[in-house]
Amino acid sequence: MIQPPNILTIAGSDSGGGAGIQADLKTILALGGYGMSVITALTAQNGLGVTGIHAPEPEFAVRQLRAVLDGFPVAAAKTGMLFSAEIIAALAEELSRCAFPLVVDPVSVSQSGSRLLREDAVAVMVERLVPLAALLTPNRPEAEMLAGMKVDTEADVAEAGRRMLDMGARAVLIKGGHFDSAITITDWLCLPGEAPLPLRQAHVDSPNNHGTGCTLSAAIATELGKGLPLLAAVRHGQAFVNRAMRGSYTPGKGCGPLNHAAGLTRTE
């Protein structure tokens, strides 16, 4: 039997199961990895929104990470919701000594509009975590937050990407889900010294898009952990999200999740 790669997600828990740690572990399993987790926050959450957040002490987040690193050879990791400056700083100190590729999803606001990253944590993320990123995966509002500018045009994408690369990220994927398009969605892969590469995929007309960013970053991390080069890992991640969105459903009230088992389960 081929040993699956060990993939680590460092993120918040979504009690509704559609995003965060839950979405990440489903994605990792569906793509053939073995998922492990460091939980940085508990959220009281469903498809209607977030009603509460409880974060552990930074030292306990570090204890979780050390337990994983001591017990498993990690092939790749991703970060999602990190919530506070103290948690980011503590985890970044540990991650700075790790050699595996790290995908940083700079989660700041939930799909329903709840803030998942404290305002005073942004500077620490830029200073301590972004330089560790093999890939940084901001959506449009997150790119604007990190780059300190509006992102409306292709030229804006190039400039925002350059600014985030200058922060130390080795690559940046600016996700296109927040740009208006009825036909295609374009994610932009920004690499040092190169023009942004447009990666287009068919638009999926579905209200069930809870956890798309979490799922994409977890999928890319899993593919990197399997040894794929960056561009191939991003394209595979895009395809996984697109398939999961086409198979999405509404298990409860509000915005539904992706179907992480799309293509894996029998429908008859």
Side-chain angles (χ1 to χ4, degrees):
M1 177 181 176
I2 298 176
Q3 178 72 33
N6 297 326
I7 311 298
L8 172 62
T9 169
I10 304 170
S13 169
D14 173 3
S15 52
I21 288 287
Q22 288 80 356
D24 293 345
L25 292 176
K26 293 171 189 176
T27 299
I28 293 165
L29 179 63
L31 289 172
Y34 175 73
M36 305 167 294
S37 65
V38 170
I39 299 177
T40 56
L42 302 176
T43 68
Q45 184 175 175
N46 56 30
L48 299 173
V50 179
T51 59
I53 297 173
H54 175 75
E57 291 297 318
E59 293 78 10
F60 190 73
V62 169
R63 184 172 295 186
Q64 293 177 72
L65 178 57
R66 286 176 178 168
V68 172
L69 297 177
D70 289 345
F72 304 87
V74 177
K78 65 148 287 188
T79 64
M81 175 187 179
L82 299 176
F83 189 57
S84 73
E86 294 79 10
I87 289 175
I88 293 171
L91 291 173
E93 180 68 25
E94 297 294 319
L95 291 168
S96 67
R97 294 188 282 271
C98 298
F100 50 75
L102 178 68
V103 177
V104 174
D105 185 10
V107 174
S108 59
V109 178
S110 73
Q111 196 77 251
S112 60
S114 298
R115 190 163 189 93
L116 303 179
L117 180 70
R118 288 176 171 168
E119 289 188 19
D120 65 353
V122 176
V124 178
M125 175 177 285
V126 169
E127 178 183 350
R128 302 290 302 276
L129 191 64
V130 170
L132 305 180
L135 179 67
L136 181 67
T137 63
N139 59 27
R140 184 183 183 181
E142 291 160 353
E144 292 178 337
M145 174 189 71
L146 293 173
M149 60 176 285
K150 294 294 291 182
V151 180
D152 295 319
T153 66
E154 186 172 338
D156 293 338
V157 167
E159 174 61 19
R162 184 193 65 77
R163 292 186 186 188
M164 287 182 280
L165 289 170
D166 287 347
M167 295 171 187
R170 296 195 290 280
V172 177
L173 184 71
I174 299 178
K175 297 175 290 190
H178 286 76
F179 292 88
D180 293 331
S181 175
I183 300 174
T184 61
I185 297 294
T186 302
D187 299 330
W188 298 89
L189 182 61
C190 305
L191 299 169
E194 300 181 18
L197 177 65
L199 302 176
R200 297 183 175 88
Q201 54 190 320
H203 174 78
V204 179
D205 186 16
S206 170
N208 299 320
N209 57 3
H210 185 50
T212 50
C214 304
T215 298
L216 178 62
S217 56
I220 295 171
T222 303
E223 298 296 353
L224 289 174
K226 289 157 68 173
L228 268 65
L230 179 62
L231 179 56
V234 171
R235 289 190 182 277
H236 282 218
Q238 284 182 313
F240 180 81
V241 171
N242 196 271
R243 181 171 65 248
M245 282 197 70
R246 291 198 306 270
S248 66
Y249 51 94
T250 310
K253 299 178 181 178
C255 183
L258 310 187
N259 180 3
H260 297 87
L264 299 177
T265 56
R266 297 170 63 94
T267 58
E268 65 272 13

